[in-house]
Amino acid sequence: MDSMAAQAGTGPATGPLTVIRKVRRRRLADLPTDRTLVMGILNVTHNSFSDGGDYLDTETAIEQGLRLHYSGADLIDVGGESTRPGAEPIDPLTEQNRVLPVIEALLKAGAVVSVDTMHTATAEAALKLGDVIINDVSGLNHEPDMPELIARTGAPYILMHNRGNAQTMDSLAVYDDVVEEVIQELTRLKDTFLAAGVKPEQLILDPGLGFAKSGEQNWELLRGLPRLMALGLPVLVAASRKRFLGTLLATDSGAEPVATARDHATAAVSALSASHGVWGVRVHDVESSLHAVKTAQAWAGPAAVPSRRHPGA
Ligand code: PMM
C-alpha cells in the first residue's frame, strides 16, 4: 500500500468494492517530479495482446486498477479498445460502458488516471468524471476533432506516433530513417494541435513502439530517444511486453516467452528510459518498473535529475 493510501485508511482490493472510500483526489501536479513516472496499464478489453479478457468485467477491472494503484503506479491508463494489429474497432458506447465506471472508481480512490482512447466522445465523457489525461494512439488518423476537444478542455494529451489503423499499420512500417520520420510526423501533429489552440504544456510525446514499426525500428527509436526528447516535450515510452521483446528473448529453437515473461526486459527498458530522463513509462507490471526507475534515479544522483514538469501543471 502506498503512503497516501495508508494515510487515507484505504487498503488493497481484497474485499467488496463498497469498501472504497472517497479519498483526496491526486492530481498530476501531485506526482513526483524527481523521477520518471510509472503508468500502470489496465485494458478493459477482450482482445489486448497481454491482458485481453482478464479485466473485461467492471468489478474485476476496478480491483486490478486498485491493485496497480496500491502497488505504487503513479497513474493508471484505462483502455476499452484493443489497438493491436488486426484488432476490429469497437463503437464508442461499448468503449464507454467498459471504461467509465472503472475510471470513476479509480478517481474516487485517489488515483491519477489516463484514458486510452481514439474517440473524442469517450475522451469527453471521461473528462466529465474529473481531471484525466487523454492517451490517444490514433496519430490523429481516426477522429480529426481531437485537437479541438483538447484545446477546449485544456486536458493533458499523449500524442503518439502512428500510421494508418489496426488493419493497415503493419504494411505502413516503411521508413528510410525511422527516427527522423517519426520526429517529423510527430512535429507536424504537434503543430496541428497548437494551431487548434492547445498549449505545448499540455502535450506528451510517444514514439508509438509497435505501431507501424517493426521490431528493429522499435530498437532504433529507443536508441534515438535523445533526439525525440530534444523537441523539449515530455516523452512516454511504452514497450511493456511488446512483441519485439519476445523476439529478443526467443530461445535457440525460436520459442518466444509468453507476454508475462517479458517483464524483466520491460523493467530494463524502464531503467534505460529513466536514465535518459523520460517523463514516463507505460507498463503492465508496476513494481518491477518502479524499482527500475528508482534505481536509475539513484544511479544518476540528485545533481543529474533534469527538472521535469508535468503536463498541465
Ligand atoms: N500501446 C498500446 C496501447 N496503448 N498507448 C501509448 N501511449 N503508447 C503505446 O505504445 C500504447 C498505448 C498497446 O499495448 P497494450 O495492449 O499492452 O495496452
Side-chain angles (χ1 to χ4, degrees), residues 201-280:
E201 304 83 65
Q202 287 172 251
L203 296 175
I204 300 154
L205 300 180
D206 180 336
L209 300 175
F211 289 86
K213 320 284 179 330
S214 68
E216 185 45 42
Q217 288 159 353
N218 290 334
W219 289 116
E220 282 182 50
L221 282 164
L222 287 171
R223 279 177 221 122
L225 264 185
R227 286 165 66 192
L228 179 58
M229 294 183 62
L231 293 182
L233 293 179
V235 168
L236 178 72
V237 171
S240 187
R241 297 182 181 173
K242 284 187 176 169
R243 182 71 190 268
F244 73 114
L245 298 180
T247 307
L248 172 76
L249 303 172
T251 59
D252 290 347
S253 62
E256 295 185 5
V258 294
T260 47
R262 302 172 193 170
D263 284 334
H264 297 97
T266 301
V269 174
S270 294
L272 291 163
S273 301
S275 75
H276 283 290
V278 304
W279 174 79

Side-chain angles (χ1 to χ4, degrees), residues 149-164:
L149 174 73
I150 301 304
R152 176 160 49 82
T153 57
Y157 178 80
I158 298 171
L159 173 58
M160 196 196 81
H161 178 270
N162 200 350
R163 285 179 176 177

Side-chain angles (χ1 to χ4, degrees), residues 39 41-43 45 47-51 77 81-84 116 135-137 158-160 206-211 236-242 282 284:
M39 171 191 272
I41 300 172
L42 179 55
N43 286 318
T45 62
N47 54 348
S48 292
F49 78 95
S50 163
D51 51 0
D77 188 42
E81 176 173 18
S82 172
T83 46
R84 67 187 295 179
D116 189 339
N135 175 25
D136 176 10
V137 302
I158 298 171
L159 173 58
M160 196 196 81
D206 180 336
L209 300 175
F211 289 86
L236 178 72
V237 171
S240 187
R241 297 182 181 173
K242 284 187 176 169
R282 178 183 180 276
H284 299 85

